[in-house]
Amino acid sequence: MHSRPAEPSGTDVDALRRRAKQIRRNVVTMASGKGEGYVGQGLDVADILAVLFSEMRYDPTDRGPTTDRLIFSAGHYSIGLWAALAEAGHLDGYDLASYGGDGASLIMSTHEGHPPLIELTGGSLGHGLGVAAGVALGYRIKAWAPRIFNFMTDGEIQEGSTWEAAMFAGHERLGNLVNVIDVNRTQADGALVLEVEPVVEKWRAFGWWSERVDGNDIGQLLDVFELARSVQDAPKAIVCRTTLGQGVPLIMERERNHFVRVDDDEWDAVARQLEASA
């Protein structure tokens, strides 16, 4: 049977906000266990994943002809994916606090064969969209109806392989492909190395339907996914403007928050700020 997060449905904005809040709590639990990690990304992507999991029809144990697929290209965002899977009830038997530890299954960058919904190793960026486009074409050839979702980052927009895949998907008019792009305008050492704007217009130039939303606004995310469902004859690029560390000023305001080390005495403040956030 196809699995989705527990009701109420994804159209309930308040329910999805609560879901995103729990995802962020899970992120803090994971990062505080290690004392460091990609905390900012996990907090950043919580709203997107809350809505995405309500949008998808998926079964973590089934890759068959009636199941949506998720290609998670941005492997260093794994902390957010683990947190979302745990919130949805799909990580029974996994210890969130083990994240990033020696021998742990919940590693810092996705690795194929570990927890559910992991389709490829995402440590080297820029490969996910090519895989997703290939799977989408395969589904179309087999006349399988489900959609293929790819999650990537603005850093990957700087990769040539991304645009090769974009050109291919646009040429093939892969209407079953949905590319969700997190645009937080940061990389490992700070700001983006190369300017990527205008992002929406670039995807449109490659034959994609594309819209920009606030990726930390549940209502806007719901609206854009609803719009994307009505587009059948072109691949879709949903451009999500987000903020690293969303909901926790202590993380948001750090000069470098791509990979964060938090002192032991700061975790209580992180948790308090998160609970006080909207």
Side-chain angles (χ1 to χ4, degrees), residues 51-90:
V51 175
L52 183 57
F53 274 34
S54 74
E55 174 71 18
M56 291 176 62
R57 292 188 59 82
Y58 68 92
D59 181 338
T61 66
D62 178 21
R63 297 178 179 180
T66 59
T67 305
D68 289 344
R69 301 275 289 274
L70 173 62
I71 309 297
F72 208 73
S73 185
H76 59 297
Y77 279 64
S78 297
I79 188 170
L81 182 58
W82 309 151
L85 285 168
E87 192 283 332
H90 297 311

Side-chain angles (χ1 to χ4, degrees), residues 144-186:
W144 290 0
R147 295 164 294 174
I148 312 303
F149 292 85
N150 182 65
F151 175 81
M152 62 176 285
T153 65
D154 49 1
E156 294 175 81
I157 294 176
Q158 300 169 59
E159 300 273 0
S161 56
T162 292
W163 295 109
E164 293 176 19
M167 182 168 56
F168 169 79
H171 174 76
E172 293 292 337
R173 305 191 71 80
L174 296 177
N176 58 342
L177 176 60
V178 184
N179 191 28
V180 181
I181 309 152
D182 180 49
V183 178
N184 57 42
R185 300 192 58 79
T186 62

Side-chain angles (χ1 to χ4, degrees), residues 127-151:
H127 301 306
L129 186 60
V131 174
V135 175
L137 179 63
Y139 268 43
R140 189 174 72 184
I141 291 170
K142 293 186 175 190
W144 290 0
R147 295 164 294 174
I148 312 303
F149 292 85
N150 182 65
F151 175 81

Side-chain angles (χ1 to χ4, degrees), residues 60 63 82 85 91 94 103-107 109-121:
R63 297 178 179 180
W82 309 151
L85 285 168
L91 281 189
Y94 290 89
S105 294
L106 302 180
I107 58 180
S109 197
T110 52
H111 188 282
E112 187 178 5
H114 277 283
L117 288 186
I118 307 307
E119 304 279 0
L120 83 165
T121 299

